[in-house]
Amino acid sequence: MTTSSGPDQHGYISDKARYLARLKRIEGQARGVHRMIDEDTYCIDILTQISALTAALENVALGLLDDHLKHCVVDAAKTGGPEADIKIREASRAIARLVKS
């Protein structure tokens, strides 16, 4: 795939370090939830942290989706043909999965 970031690169490549840093924080949040359960923390406090963790993951997913639309889908649409249809269908399915979760 060719993107505006260069050949064979995904749309998120320019923000890769930011995504990795955010995912590292999310890992820490997940470990924190594990620790809370291990320490018999009050249910509502755990649920509050799970809600924050879910929101953080959704933000990463939305950022990746936005990058995918701006780079992969736009580039495929410019090229046209079956590749454009495939990328649009992929994006639609990804959106459907996000909406269901």
Side-chain angles (χ1 to χ4, degrees):
M1 165 184 57
T2 304
T3 68
S4 56
S5 300
D8 299 325
Q9 291 185 344
H10 300 291
Y12 63 82
I13 200 72
S14 63
D15 289 330
K16 185 176 179 177
R18 187 175 56 87
Y19 281 119
L20 291 174
R22 185 63 188 123
L23 289 169
K24 190 172 210 157
R25 287 192 298 276
I26 290 169
E27 286 180 78
Q29 286 178 285
R31 283 191 301 275
V33 169
H34 182 276
R35 186 172 41 255
M36 291 173 80
I37 292 172
D38 188 47
E39 295 172 355
D40 300 321
T41 303
Y42 183 57
C43 302
I44 297 301
D45 294 338
I46 296 169
L47 291 170
T48 299
Q49 290 306 310
I50 290 173
S51 178
L53 182 59
T54 301
L57 281 170
E58 287 174 353
N59 284 331
V60 169
L62 290 172
L64 287 169
L65 179 61
D66 186 59
D67 288 340
H68 180 69
L69 292 172
K70 287 179 180 175
H71 297 278
C72 302
V73 174
V74 167
D75 287 350
K78 287 178 185 174
T79 304
E83 183 69 18
D85 294 335
I86 290 168
K87 292 296 180 192
I88 291 169
R89 213 172 11 253
E90 283 177 344
S92 293
R93 288 179 182 150
I95 292 166
R97 286 191 301 273
L98 285 172
V99 170
K100 287 181 184 178
S101 59

